[in-house]
Amino acid sequence: MTTAVCPGSFDPITLGHLDIVRRARALFDDVVVGVARNASKSALLSVDERVALARAAVADAGLDGVRVEVVPGLLVDFCREIGAGAVVKGLRGGADFDAELPMALMNRHLAGVETVFVAGDAALLHVASSLVKDIARYGGPVDDLVPPGVGDAVRAALARVQGSSR
């Protein structure tokens, strides 16, 4: 059985993420959506919220053979722990490739884990978690960019943040 990890912060999970997970599942027997804690990013949603939203999205999409787990530290250590030989990353354009290539090379250097790059669906190339949060922050519509329930969770998290900053 071949196992691959689709890692990310998923803050929040988007339809673009689900597209990549769906296509990874077509390539690998077992796919793990690895919800990472990224020290260089300040997350809006807690790890538990991101995991719950990703699990609901995977279930709603009917993606059998896909599970969601937390990546507690280095991605390569997580890959070793679960027996994954590959990482699957979606690319929206050249900037994504420029950011992802050094990480892919380091993962291979550290643990022999290969990275498979999947071109994002052209209809979703404009969708990014950071843009979803920015649009929602100003009251714009995001529900057509994210799986069911995610827009509500983002709006609730933004209300908590805004309420605590008063």
Side-chain angles (χ1 to χ4, degrees):
M1 179 176 278
T2 58
T3 300
V5 176
C6 289
S9 56
F10 302 104
D11 186 40
I13 191 164
T14 69
L15 295 180
H17 292 132
L18 273 184
D19 171 59
I20 298 303
V21 172
R22 184 178 294 108
R23 291 195 282 135
R25 180 61 184 91
L27 298 171
F28 295 93
D29 298 319
D30 185 37
V31 174
V32 178
V33 174
V35 178
R37 294 180 173 103
N38 189 333
S40 67
K41 293 182 180 179
S42 178
L44 173 65
L45 301 166
S46 72
V47 170
D48 290 340
E49 288 173 307
R50 291 182 276 146
V51 167
L53 290 169
R55 285 183 177 151
V58 165
D60 287 348
L63 293 173
D64 295 329
V66 176
R67 64 185 192 276
V68 179
E69 296 184 23
V70 174
V71 178
L74 285 176
L75 177 59
V76 292
D77 292 339
F78 179 73
C79 288
R80 274 192 210 113
E81 180 183 313
I82 66 167
V87 169
V88 177
K89 298 292 288 195
L91 299 177
R92 291 171 294 196
D96 283 353
F97 180 75
D98 290 343
E100 295 294 343
L101 181 60
M103 289 186 277
L105 295 172
M106 185 58 71
N107 290 338
R108 187 172 62 201
H109 171 79
L110 291 173
V113 175
E114 291 292 347
T115 299
V116 176
F117 293 116
V118 177
D121 184 321
L124 299 169
L125 292 180
H126 62 289
V127 179
S129 295
S130 59
L131 291 175
V132 168
K133 291 182 286 193
D134 286 344
I135 294 164
R137 185 172 287 115
Y138 294 102
V142 297
D143 293 311
D144 61 337
L145 305 173
V146 295
V150 173
D152 291 336
V154 168
R155 287 184 288 273
L158 287 168
R160 283 193 309 268
V161 170
Q162 292 167 349
S164 69
S165 66
R166 289 182 185 165

